[in-house]
Amino acid sequence: MTTTTGGASLRFRGERYDGVIFDCDGVLVDSERITSRVWAGLLTEIGLPTTTEQSLATYLGNSMGRCLEIVTEQLGRRPPDTLLPRFYDEVKVALASEVTPVEGIVALLDALDAAGIGYGVASNGEHEKMRTTLGATGLLARFEGRRFSAMDVARPKPAPDLFLHAAEALGFEPGRTIVVEDSPLGVQGAHAAGMTVIGYAELVAPDRLRAAGAVHTVDQLRALLPLIAT
């Protein structure tokens, strides 16, 4: 399936690109602090005292499978089987009532739509979570048929699998794809896929994103508009 429209193309640093792949949490929707707060509360309850800031620093960008591995390592034992079900239940309620679009994303998507540039979302999160967050922020319809989850591939970020899967479905050549990511793990995955990564440095220091492979960083999404000349 390809979602590119017409013969439009975009440019970045003089090079032509087929389209853009966005991360979801922290790039499209302002969900990371909400998710990290819920996760930190549950970890504290099971005997692993964690603040929201510590949760962000440790778990940002990881798949839930990897998050459980980290918890097991830190606890020295497997966490209760109820941990994930409780997290999914509590975070769904919190996100549905609190999540908002990341500032500047609507204008950026509007500009891409106006230029006929294709885009999609590739997230380590589950499809249900994306439906919740994108639905609550009014962005769901914009990504119909363009949503890709780590659940769709063998390996989550930082492996390149998800980005390559998304690019193939969208009809983008990996080397002609721009990725916007806010976590070092996501940047690593897109870089490994041979894509050009722009880091959104709102929660993570720009140097960490550049060290992971980002060729440029911005701290506001509206700063992308003049960079991407269509």
Side-chain angles (χ1 to χ4, degrees):
M1 174 185 71
T2 177
T3 59
T4 53
T5 55
S9 63
L10 72 160
R11 293 181 179 273
F12 174 65
R13 293 184 171 179
E15 299 293 328
R16 295 182 62 185
Y17 289 85
D18 294 335
V20 185
I21 296 175
F22 296 95
D23 180 39
C24 188
D25 294 299
V27 174
L28 298 180
V29 297
D30 195 1
S31 57
E32 295 288 14
R33 291 182 182 85
I34 300 168
T35 302
S36 294
R37 184 192 74 221
V38 173
W39 186 242
L42 291 173
L43 294 185
T44 299
E45 282 187 27
I46 66 171
L48 188 61
T50 307
T51 65
T52 298
E53 291 71 26
Q54 289 169 334
S55 180
L56 280 166
T58 304
Y59 301 99
L60 178 67
N62 281 292
S63 67
M64 289 313 301
R66 177 56 186 150
C67 288
L68 284 180
E69 291 176 356
I70 296 171
V71 171
T72 300
E73 292 164 6
Q74 294 188 343
L75 271 178
R77 55 180 169 80
R78 284 178 54 84
D81 292 339
T82 56
L83 177 62
L84 270 191
R86 285 192 62 197
F87 171 71
Y88 288 137
D89 288 345
E90 292 186 23
V91 83
K92 184 175 182 178
V93 173
L95 288 171
S97 61
E98 299 177 40
V99 72
T100 58
V102 168
E103 185 177 356
I105 190 60
V106 172
L108 180 56
L109 296 179
D110 285 346
L112 294 175
D113 284 337
I117 301 302
Y119 55 83
V121 54
S123 173
N124 260 356
E126 299 78 10
H127 280 287
E128 182 178 358
K129 183 181 179 185
M130 279 193 282
R131 284 191 290 269
T132 296
T133 57
L134 294 175
T137 54
L139 299 176
L140 187 64
R142 305 187 81 147
F143 289 91
E144 192 61 44
R146 314 185 206 186
R147 298 191 302 271
F148 308 96
S149 164
M151 303 300 102
D152 303 332
V153 295
R155 300 179 299 169
K157 306 171 190 178
D161 304 34
L162 177 56
F163 290 109
L164 293 172
H165 169 65
E168 181 179 9
L170 292 165
F172 300 165
E173 288 293 329
R176 289 164 52 97
T177 300
I178 290 175
V179 173
V180 183
E181 268 283 356
D182 71 326
S183 75
L185 290 177
V187 172
Q188 289 172 29
H191 181 69
M195 300 175 181
T196 297
V197 193
I198 299 175
Y200 176 45
E202 201 271 326
L203 288 174
V204 175
D207 59 339
R208 288 188 61 201
L209 298 177
R210 288 193 292 267
V215 299
H216 189 85
T217 59
V218 296
D219 58 9
Q220 296 180 354
L221 287 185
R222 66 170 176 262
L224 285 176
L225 284 171
L227 287 176
I228 301 175
T230 58

